[in-house]
Amino acid sequence: MRTLTVTIATWNINSVRLRENLVCRLLEEEQPDILCLQELKSVEELVRTDGFARLGYRHCVLRGQKAYNGVAIVSRLPLEDLGSRDFLGRGEARHVAARLENGMVIENFYVPAGGDEPDRTVNPKFGDKLDFVGAMRDWSHRDAPTRTVLVGDLNIAPLEHDVWSHRQLLKVVSHTPIETDLLNSVIEAGNWTDVVRSDIPEGKLYSWWSYRARDWNASDRGRRLDHIWATSDLVGTFHSSRILREVRGWDRPSDHVPVFASFDG
DNA sequence: ATGGTAGGTCTCCTA
């Protein structure tokens, strides 16, 4: 009997047109079966996918938008496009889903960053973020997904060791209790498992470092904003999670790095 | 306590 292992990666690319070469480099060097991208910052017509196809990644579902957002699932395995949900009802390209031939479903999300002030009465963008994640919770509860992997830039670092300083970030958008409580309510509603934290339970773990640091590597003020979750029926199949920190040191990098996990069956 | 960088676009938005 043969077991098929599927390796899934997620990466906020921060402009797919500017960094098409970095996407190709990652595909060549790491050979994931599936790469989920966020922040394409492009309309669909201007995204070049022929370079990905030449490397064997011939399947792609993509939702684009001018200048902002945008998500894609690039794959060397055939994909069925399952469409996208518009949680805020404004036509923003923040979600797309696809099904593999083995029945696994990939849900790729780009959650709103939420602005600077963690108070929805003065900062509507923070309200949008809470509404979006609340809608993810309602969807998780209502649809009760199975055989599903949820990935993406969720723009929330839920655990103490998902940020460089828990104490100093409690009032900083991405790590406030209102956000981390809400994200935990999504996990409860869908009975999701945080795959990467299950694989790597101990120690600091980051997937994003600000562009604004003088030396991102030396100061190491990171946050784990990018996630891979799985439904409970996939518990026991996942392994080999890793976060590719070194990609932050590539030439003209994204501020996020790729996160990987593998699934058997 | 503050300001720092990056990308896309149409002169400033978002992250």
Side-chain angles (χ1 to χ4, degrees):
Chain A
M1 159 168 162
R2 197 167 61 93
T3 306
L4 176 72
T5 297
V6 180
T7 298
I8 300 174
T10 178
W11 193 11
N12 178 320
I13 193 62
N14 187 20
S15 173
V16 73
R17 282 184 283 159
L18 191 68
R19 290 189 241 279
E20 185 197 348
N21 60 329
L22 296 193
V23 175
C24 288
R25 178 175 172 186
L26 185 81
L27 294 175
E28 273 193 294
E29 291 185 4
E30 301 295 336
Q31 304 266 314
D33 295 299
I34 294 158
L35 175 60
C36 298
L37 297 169
Q38 302 88 32
E39 276 212 272
L40 305 181
K41 291 188 169 177
S42 174
V43 291
E44 179 165 355
E45 300 74 52
L46 296 180
V47 179
R48 298 284 304 272
T49 57
D50 47 318
F52 311 154
R54 265 197 300 280
L55 294 169
Y57 295 81
R58 295 188 178 81
H59 310 278
C60 182
V61 297
L62 191 152
R63 295 296 183 278
Q65 185 183 329
K66 186 178 182 178
Y68 303 110
N69 311 314
V71 287
I73 305 175
V74 176
S75 173
R76 57 184 184 186
L77 304 172
L79 298 177
E80 176 192 351
D81 190 331
L82 294 181
S84 47
R85 274 179 292 280
D86 183 6
F87 284 140
L88 295 177
R90 331 185 156 157
E92 294 183 338
R94 295 185 177 274
H95 168 264
V96 70
R99 180 160 33 225
L100 309 185
E101 286 178 329
N102 72 359
M104 277 176 68
V105 172
I106 315 291
E107 301 275 352
N108 181 18
F109 281 92
Y110 176 49
V111 171
D116 286 333
E117 191 64 44
D119 177 353
R120 70 181 307 156
T121 66
V122 297
N123 172 20
K125 283 189 285 195
F126 192 69
D128 291 344
K129 180 179 197 174
L130 300 182
D131 291 345
F132 190 99
V133 180
M136 288 176 71
R137 177 199 56 210
D138 296 344
W139 158 72
S140 294
H141 181 71
R142 187 184 59 246
D143 285 23
T146 57
R147 268 185 88 65
T148 298
V149 179
L150 185 159
V151 310
D153 177 3
L154 305 185
N155 264 315
I156 298 173
L159 302 171
E160 194 169 329
H161 289 312
D162 293 340
V163 293
W164 64 276
S165 169
H166 173 62
R167 187 179 59 81
Q168 290 181 84
L169 285 170
L170 278 170
K171 291 180 176 168
V172 174
V173 171
S174 74
H175 194 61
T176 64
I178 185 168
E179 291 168 272
T180 57
D181 288 351
L182 188 57
L183 197 68
N184 285 328
S185 79
V186 182
I187 290 178
E188 260 181 55
N191 200 13
W192 298 101
T193 293
D194 181 337
V195 168
V196 174
R197 258 309 174 196
S198 297
D199 269 354
I200 315 171
E202 302 296 327
K204 296 288 187 186
L205 213 48
Y206 314 138
S207 64
W208 173 89
W209 292 261
S210 172
Y211 283 126
R212 296 176 188 175
R214 279 189 213 101
D215 184 340
W216 71 272
N217 195 32
S219 59
D220 199 18
R221 295 183 168 189
R223 305 176 201 171
R224 189 172 71 106
L225 304 179
D226 302 275
H227 299 273
I228 300 178
W229 294 353
T231 48
S232 57
D233 50 351
L234 294 179
V235 171
T237 73
F238 59 74
H239 54 86
S240 310
S241 295
R242 49 204 188 104
I243 302 186
L244 274 59
R245 179 188 175 103
E246 65 273 17
V247 172
R248 186 64 176 77
W250 285 4
D251 190 42
R252 294 203 79 184
S254 169
D255 45 355
H256 295 252
V257 299
V259 180
F260 278 66
S262 296
F263 297 79
D264 294 329

